[in-house]
Amino acid sequence: MRETIEFRIAEERAQRFLEPGLGTLVNETLRKVVLPREDPRVQEIGAIERKLREQGSLFFTYWNIERRYSATELKSAELLNLIIRTSFEPTGAMCGTGYDESVACEYCGAGARQTTALILDTRRIAKSKDIAQTLAGEVVVSSRFVETFQKAGLRGAEFRPVMHGGGKELRASDWYQPVVTSKPLRLAAKMLAGNNPFDLDERGEHRCPKGHVAGLNQLSELYVERASHDGSDLFITDKLFGDRRGELRPEPRWLISPRLRDVLTAMNAKGHALEMAHVV
Amino acid sequence: MLQARQLYLQRLKEAQATYPNSAGYENHHLIPMYLGGAKDGQTYRLPTAYHKAITRAFREEWQYGQGRRPDPQALTDILVRVYSRYPVPQLIGISP
């Protein structure tokens, strides 16, 4: 696995702390730096970030960890993290989907119960995709995805029709909402979550005291407990990531079996990426 | 204030040159929804081209729909940086 980490740093801070010529300009005030994870300059950036945070400032704003795998590595994975790359808005709640917020966690906002069919403006979903999610983390899949999933005899989800609510009346759409029926996969202790790659949120500001949210962001590959694996093909994690902020909600991570990976590959499904997940 | 007004007019001109077919106005969420702004949060009516330029500036600072979120301090930094490059006209006494 090759892991790279991208930082976006205000140009004036980059000029002050980084070697000249490192990275590229995104615009006149923002520099993008991409480094292999093992590059010593990553730790230097971490040290600058920690120092500036102690002083009430910060070094980088944006960060992203990219993991690239060989075909052999992906082939050997027991489970895979299905990363949904296609996002859209408006969210379900903005289109009329009902939620019972009274059952949501008072600390992290997780667990609001969906009380109606998922209603979306389905014109906002890219037609070329097979999987996508709203900003609120409501996942939808194409009818092609559902047909292929069911034809292959895969297990772990039911699919409920998504209603199109972009006009005067609700009508059926070509999209479905997967409702996961498999047992949630328990995150293992090895899993890292936090605010950014150098801040594991030791103060617990973004960890739910009731245990619903593991942290603001997923930092490591997914690690899940073998004892919670029920042999299905589609899963979500037991704990969520993120926070309740405006339309954003804490979201689980999605995992798939190698069987479902093969099906997605064969149908040339669009809208996602895969990372290895570790069953421990 | 004068500098901010000059900057707005310059950025508006650049935006109109970049997006020549973007006539009219659009509502802009002061905190974009993908960064956690509320749907009924503060909005400002901006020229469409200028709105597109601001949207691009935000997405350069923090990519859209990545499944990750900036912590509150990083979000504040992003807002300050974007609005210092692209002032909101109503906040500097200009009617857009």
Side-chain angles (χ1 to χ4, degrees), chain A:
Chain A
M1 188 260 287
R2 282 181 54 225
E3 201 171 54
T4 56
I5 182 158
E6 174 185 338
F7 301 100
R8 294 199 183 179
I9 304 166
E11 178 58 9
E12 83 249 17
R13 295 176 208 142
Q15 281 184 8
R16 196 169 145 212
F17 291 103
L18 295 182
E19 61 193 81
L22 181 63
T24 54
L25 282 178
V26 176
N27 58 48
E28 72 270 23
T29 66
L30 189 65
R31 198 188 298 191
K32 170 178 161 178
V33 175
V34 183
L35 294 166
R37 185 64 184 248
E38 67 278 9
D39 190 305
R41 289 172 293 188
V42 170
Q43 289 312 316
E44 288 169 19
I45 288 172
I48 299 164
E49 169 74 6
R50 278 189 284 264
K51 190 178 165 195
L52 291 181
R53 287 268 184 170
E54 279 169 16
Q55 296 167 4
S57 180
L58 48 69
F59 188 42
F60 59 83
T61 45
Y62 178 83
W63 57 274
N64 183 35
I65 300 167
E66 279 285 336
R67 301 184 179 96
R68 297 224 168 95
Y69 300 88
S70 67
T72 315
E73 283 174 319
L74 280 180
K75 196 82 189 160
S76 69
E78 234 178 304
L79 287 175
L80 299 113
N81 181 6
L82 179 77
I83 300 168
I84 302 166
R85 291 282 197 216
T86 305
S87 297
F88 64 96
E89 53 188 288
T91 64
M94 293 169 73
C95 295
T97 306
Y99 283 94
D100 179 0
E101 298 285 351
S102 70
V103 295
C105 173
E106 60 187 304
Y107 297 102
C108 67
R113 192 169 57 87
Q114 188 182 322
T115 56
T116 64
L118 181 59
I119 303 167
L120 295 172
D121 183 348
T122 54
R123 293 170 302 189
R124 303 298 294 271
I125 312 172
K127 285 193 176 69
S128 59
K129 305 296 182 187
D130 293 290
I131 184 159
Q133 66 177 1
T134 68
L135 287 183
E138 296 144 324
V139 174
V140 298
V141 295
S142 65
S143 51
R144 199 170 78 101
F145 181 107
V146 175
E147 278 163 31
T148 314
F149 186 97
Q150 290 172 339
K151 203 169 162 187
L154 299 175
R155 294 183 300 123
E158 296 170 357
F159 298 94
R160 296 186 187 156
V162 172
M163 303 304 289
H164 172 70
K168 285 178 186 167
E169 288 177 9
L170 293 183
R171 59 176 167 80
S173 75
D174 291 335
W175 294 92
Y176 289 81
Q177 180 181 27
V179 177
V180 175
T181 55
S182 60
K183 209 170 131 188
L185 285 166
R186 275 198 307 273
L187 289 184
K190 205 174 171 185
M191 178 78 220
L192 288 182
N195 294 336
N196 67 50
F198 310 107
D199 179 357
L200 301 185
D201 190 17
E202 274 142 16
R203 302 169 304 282
E205 285 173 350
H206 292 98
R207 290 204 172 85
C208 176
K210 289 191 172 176
H212 301 122
V213 170
L216 187 61
N217 294 301
Q218 176 188 341
L219 299 178
S220 66
E221 290 174 306
L222 283 179
Y223 288 84
V224 295
E225 293 182 6
R226 184 172 301 282
S228 62
H229 187 344
D230 68 3
S232 296
D233 297 291
L234 184 60
F235 307 87
I236 52 173
T237 52
D238 63 337
K239 290 192 178 179
L240 314 179
F241 297 85
D243 57 357
R244 186 80 165 93
R245 189 191 295 187
E247 288 300 302
L248 308 181
R249 294 165 188 264
E251 298 167 20
R253 290 295 177 263
W254 291 70
L255 296 99
I256 63 169
S257 67
R259 283 189 298 269
L260 179 49
R261 174 205 53 208
D262 293 343
V263 164
L264 294 178
T265 305
M267 69 180 276
N268 196 21
K270 305 279 189 215
H272 69 284
L274 294 174
E275 278 189 5
M276 282 182 77
H278 304 273
V279 186
V280 295

